[in-house]
Amino acid sequence: MTNRLRQAMAGLFLIVITLLGTCAVAQAQVPDASAVAPVTASVSPGYEYRLGSGDKIRLIIFGEPDLSGEFTISGDGLVALPLIREVPAAGLTASELQVKVENAFKEGYLKDPRVSIEVLSFRPFYILGEVNKPGQYPYSNGITVVNAVALASGFSYRANQKKVYIRHAGATAEEEVPLTSTTLVAPGDTIRIAERYF
């Protein structure tokens, strides 16, 4: 047997030993299935957006382009639609309004209406108190109080930057919450930045 052949066989032997050792380690690291604790997914309940005055929706009735279109919910919470006139929309989710509109069209107008409703733009929020430009601002999904203050050209020099008062749409009282970078704003909220005390 030549030296070259011996070296080749020795190299092959080392590769086989290494592979066997790796497999043994991998098997030793796989835990027994009965010893593994079950993993439970924790899913936070989804936020269901409720429609309100000032929201703009797109209504599509399949096969009925003349009845479809974009509509705005009025100040009294109604949405005026072709044929069925005014439908109460405030306080409903888009899917609840969809069912209501389908049922209204079934009553003597359409045989089997298929309706789709989506929210195009949300009602604005309001910010007042110790900001440089208080007023009404358009809502965008995921906006925080810090973003809202930035839209209002920042805090005034007297602003309390540690807490904020928020009154949600439809609520009668405002709520005091810590002012952090993750404090969210909802459509229709009234945000009040209070004055700090020296």
Side-chain angles (χ1 to χ4, degrees):
M1 188 179 286
T2 65
N3 281 343
R4 187 172 290 177
L5 186 57
R6 273 200 206 97
Q7 287 175 350
M9 289 187 67
L12 185 61
F13 180 71
L14 277 172
I15 291 171
V16 171
I17 292 296
T18 305
L19 286 174
L20 288 173
T22 303
C23 290
V25 169
Q27 284 183 344
Q29 289 177 345
V30 175
D32 179 15
S34 61
V36 177
V39 177
T40 307
S42 97
V43 179
S44 58
Y47 170 66
E48 279 197 305
Y49 178 69
R50 300 266 165 195
L51 297 165
S53 301
D55 286 343
K56 189 174 184 180
I57 62 169
R58 177 183 288 131
L59 167 74
I60 297 172
I61 303 175
F62 296 98
E64 301 288 342
D66 293 340
L67 300 177
S68 303
E70 296 177 2
F71 306 91
T72 302
I73 299 172
S74 67
D76 50 4
L78 303 174
V79 58
L81 301 175
L83 296 181
I84 58 175
R85 306 205 176 176
E86 292 182 326
V87 178
L92 301 179
T93 63
S95 56
E96 288 169 347
L97 180 60
Q98 181 176 307
V99 171
K100 191 170 232 181
V101 169
E102 281 179 352
N103 290 336
F105 274 112
K106 279 179 188 173
E107 294 175 5
Y109 298 104
L110 298 173
K111 186 176 179 184
D112 185 23
R114 289 180 300 139
V115 175
S116 169
I117 291 176
E118 64 175 309
V119 182
L120 290 179
S121 62
F122 300 97
R123 56 192 178 273
F125 68 89
Y126 306 87
I127 185 165
L128 48 94
E130 297 300 326
V131 289
N132 290 314
K133 289 189 178 175
Q136 171 185 308
Y137 291 90
Y139 175 83
S140 58
N141 198 26
I143 193 170
T144 66
V145 171
V146 172
N147 300 141
V149 169
L151 286 172
S153 296
F155 293 106
S156 74
Y157 71 92
R158 293 186 304 264
N160 184 336
Q161 299 183 32
K162 297 191 182 299
K163 60 185 176 182
V164 62
Y165 296 89
I166 299 176
R167 182 169 56 81
H168 298 298
T172 54
E174 61 183 12
E175 178 185 354
E176 180 188 317
V177 294
L179 202 167
T180 69
S181 60
T182 58
T183 307
L184 290 171
V185 176
D189 276 359
T190 299
I191 303 162
R192 181 170 66 86
I193 303 297
E195 186 177 350
R196 63 187 162 92
Y197 297 102
F198 297 96

